[in-house]
Amino acid sequence: MKSILKTMLAVTALYAATAHAASFGGATQAPEFTGIEKWLNSEPLTMQQLRGKVVLVDFWTHTCINCIRTLPYVKSWNEKYKDQGLTVIGVHTPEYPFERSTDNVKTAIKRFGITYPVAQDNQYATWKAYSNQYWPAVYLINKKGQVVYTHFGEGAYQETEAKIRALLAEPQ
């Protein structure tokens, strides 16, 4: 019974991820960062400023175990590819009220060794702009500013990294 339930949950998650990616049509302009209360590790950024770069937007929250498990991969991609044109941006969107505290987010950023920009999205404005529903959620944006890849939850690390490399190899 447990294996049937696990399979059903996996199929449901896959269907939701596929439907969400389809909602972007494979190449819809990335929504702008909106309603950001505070930028950490960076001055405020815009999608317009990031045009010409590959952007990885990572929706996370600092007490989500699934998010915590993905951070080593996101941090690794940032380190490996930042000099090749990848910009990683964490969008911290709280699940619980205490996660709204900027001090708590700053402490988590330090504890996890996050050096890339983090946008504090306490009002879910950017979350809603992306029609996001999951922690963690990765959105890859090509050099033209279009969302071309999404992944929800843990896993697919090799596929995500392969997509990052492919996007970086594309001409401007």
Side-chain angles (χ1 to χ4, degrees):
M1 185 67 159
K2 280 186 178 180
S3 64
I4 292 172
L5 183 58
K6 274 180 131 176
T7 302
M8 289 174 59
L9 289 172
V11 168
T12 301
L14 179 62
Y15 174 77
T18 304
H20 192 271
S23 74
F24 279 101
T28 298
Q29 285 303 118
E32 192 54 73
F33 300 108
T34 184
I36 299 303
E37 182 171 307
K38 182 95 174 156
W39 283 88
L40 304 165
N41 293 342
S42 173
E43 293 298 316
L45 296 169
T46 67
M47 281 297 162
Q48 187 62 36
Q49 287 174 306
L50 296 169
R51 193 67 56 87
K53 294 184 173 286
V54 173
V55 180
L56 184 152
V57 175
D58 177 40
F59 284 93
W60 71 294
T61 190
H62 67 82
T63 63
C64 164
I65 189 63
N66 306 95
C67 299
I68 293 167
R69 289 179 185 149
T70 64
L71 284 175
Y73 297 94
V74 176
K75 289 174 16 182
S76 172
W77 297 327
N78 179 61
E79 286 304 311
K80 273 191 213 177
Y81 302 111
K82 66 182 177 184
D83 293 334
Q84 297 174 42
L86 176 68
T87 299
V88 173
I89 298 175
V91 178
H92 185 275
T93 310
E95 185 173 10
Y96 301 108
F98 67 88
E99 293 174 325
R100 296 179 190 280
S101 162
T102 300
D103 287 339
N104 289 347
V105 177
K106 285 180 180 178
T107 298
I109 287 171
K110 185 176 181 180
R111 181 175 68 243
F112 296 128
I114 296 170
T115 58
Y116 49 81
V118 174
Q120 194 173 355
D121 187 26
N122 281 349
Q123 303 306 314
Y124 285 65
T126 296
W127 172 283
K128 290 174 187 171
Y130 277 78
S131 300
N132 191 49
Q133 299 176 37
Y134 310 100
W135 291 279
V138 167
Y139 293 79
L140 281 176
I141 299 155
N142 67 14
K143 295 172 186 176
K144 297 175 189 172
Q146 301 166 321
V147 175
V148 294
Y149 174 88
T150 58
H151 179 74
F152 307 113
E154 295 180 60
Y157 302 117
Q158 291 176 333
E159 295 88 344
T160 302
E161 186 167 359
K163 187 64 175 179
I164 290 168
R165 284 195 310 267
L167 290 171
L168 289 170
E170 289 180 355
Q172 290 278 27

